[in-house]
Amino acid sequence: MYLYLNGDIVHLSEAAISPFDHGYLYGMGVFETFRTYEGHPFLLKDHLKRLSRGLKELNIAADLNEEKIKQIITELLKKNGLKDAYCRFNVSGGTEEIGLKTTPYEDATVILFQKELPLSTPLKEKEGVFLKLRRNTPETGERLKSHHYLNNMAAKREIGSSLDQEGIFLTKQGHLCEGITSNLFWVEGGELFTPSVETGLLNGITRQFILALADRLNIPVQVGVFEKEEILEADEVFFTNSVQEIIPVNKIDSMLLPGHNGKYVGVLHKQYTKYKRYLNSIEELRQGV
């Protein structure tokens, strides 16, 4: 497999970064994960916007020209012999002296990884498991998709390696927050519910896309701060992320749920499938492109 590293496409066996990279030493880095469908990087513009905001927060300068990055994605897909791929675009502070840096990072380390994924992701069901570990608070005002991933790693260790479960984080106050690597939604009485960014969740691109889809489909939405007990009254529950798309939940505690047979899961998945091969941004959906 090949990857892009600081201007070059290299084989993974030849890729290397400095031990003095501040992404390694201090976690000074952010990343985005997204998918390509038949070569198209779905919602790339939104992923780059979020990446740019994270880089600004970390004081890291990097070239995020959309057309240039599309070209890199295309070239790397060709080199890897892929059309449908998992992509991780990673930017860290780059090589610096040891010590906490207060001035801007001007020489970032930029990496694009890819791996093969199937064209269509079936609606694979998972069980939702309430975590004992609570969601930590963001390092800054809003949670970044950063290298600071211990809270997520510890949560995954708590539930184990099963691919059929996803942990559900509660906040320190006991409010519903998000999954370990996903955002959380549920439906009750024809309304769609999801926790607010005020809970400290990562504002996922797929989360934002689902909210825009709901608006387009005239599905009522409530975004707010919710108690654990509220989701246990749901008609449907699902998780979202940019790689697994929509993940239906078939069970939480002793409560059985319709999983992939859920009405709203089916409607939203159909719409997701409709747009994923050509949309560049959520704004295009709002404009009816």
Side-chain angles (χ1 to χ4, degrees):
M1 194 64 70
Y2 291 85
L3 56 85
Y4 172 88
L5 173 61
N6 291 338
D8 298 308
I9 292 178
V10 299
H11 192 268
L12 61 86
S13 62
E14 301 172 342
I17 63 171
S18 168
F20 295 98
D21 191 297
H22 276 210
Y24 170 72
L25 289 177
Y26 303 112
M28 294 300 291
V30 285
F31 68 97
E32 289 291 324
T33 52
F34 54 90
R35 288 186 63 159
T36 60
Y37 297 91
E38 297 178 2
H40 172 68
F42 182 50
L43 301 181
L44 179 63
K45 186 182 291 291
D46 295 297
H47 284 285
L48 293 180
K49 283 182 179 179
R50 184 172 65 174
L51 188 68
S52 179
R53 290 195 300 271
L55 291 173
K56 183 177 181 181
E57 190 75 49
L58 296 181
N59 214 7
I60 298 172
D63 181 6
L64 296 183
N65 179 271
E66 184 180 346
E67 291 307 313
K68 178 182 177 181
I69 292 170
K70 279 184 177 179
Q71 183 178 356
I72 292 168
I73 293 168
T74 299
E75 290 176 2
L76 194 57
L77 286 171
K78 183 177 181 181
K79 188 71 173 179
N80 285 321
L82 300 174
K83 288 187 176 180
D84 306 297
Y86 162 103
C87 297
R88 172 170 166 148
F89 191 73
N90 198 93
V91 184
S92 70
T95 303
E96 296 286 348
E97 296 293 330
I98 293 176
L100 301 183
K101 183 177 172 65
T102 58
T103 55
Y105 290 95
E106 301 288 356
D107 190 19
T109 297
V110 180
I111 306 174
L112 175 64
F113 306 88
Q114 290 179 344
K115 67 179 181 181
E116 186 173 9
L117 285 174
L119 174 61
S120 298
T121 302
L123 281 168
K124 178 177 171 54
E125 298 177 342
K126 291 191 178 185
E127 176 186 357
V129 179
F130 290 116
L131 294 161
K132 295 178 183 177
L133 180 69
R134 296 301 173 102
R135 192 58 165 130
N136 63 354
T137 55
E139 291 85 1
T140 55
E142 182 178 344
R143 187 173 301 279
L144 307 179
K145 197 171 179 70
S146 74
H147 291 191
H148 301 268
Y149 238 62
L150 179 58
N151 195 220
N152 305 68
M153 292 289 290
K156 185 58 180 174
R157 291 170 186 163
E158 180 182 320
I159 67 169
S161 59
S162 172
L163 299 178
D164 298 324
Q165 293 181 322
E166 171 68 325
I168 300 174
F169 273 119
L170 303 178
T171 67
K172 182 180 179 180
Q173 296 77 22
H175 301 131
L176 292 164
C177 187
E178 62 183 339
I180 298 174
T181 59
S182 62
N183 288 121
L184 177 65
F185 288 86
W186 65 97
V187 178
E188 184 184 355
E191 286 190 281
L192 184 65
F193 295 79
T194 194
S196 164
V197 292
E198 295 172 16
T199 62
L201 58 77
L202 177 71
N203 191 8
I205 300 303
T206 304
R207 173 184 183 273
Q208 297 172 49
F209 182 64
I210 292 298
L211 290 173
L213 274 180
D215 181 64
R216 187 176 180 85
L217 296 169
N218 295 316
I219 299 172
V221 174
Q222 289 197 38
V223 179
V225 178
F226 303 104
E227 304 299 323
K228 171 183 175 180
E229 292 72 23
E230 295 183 64
I231 201 171
L232 297 176
E233 299 176 354
D235 302 317
E236 299 178 42
V237 179
F238 60 93
F239 300 106
T240 62
N241 69 32
S242 293
V243 176
Q244 299 176 73
E245 303 174 350
I246 297 172
I247 308 131
V249 175
N250 55 17
K251 181 182 178 183
I252 299 179
D253 284 349
S254 60
M255 181 178 71
L256 298 179
L257 290 153
H260 70 271
N261 292 315
K263 172 185 173 182
Y264 288 86
V265 163
V267 168
L268 291 168
H269 182 257
K270 182 178 180 180
Q271 291 295 309
Y272 197 106
T273 302
K274 173 182 175 182
Y275 291 110
K276 66 186 182 182
R277 290 179 178 82
Y278 71 89
L279 274 192
N280 294 299
S281 70
I282 296 169
E283 186 58 32
E284 290 178 352
L285 175 70
R286 296 190 179 105
Q287 294 174 357
V289 174

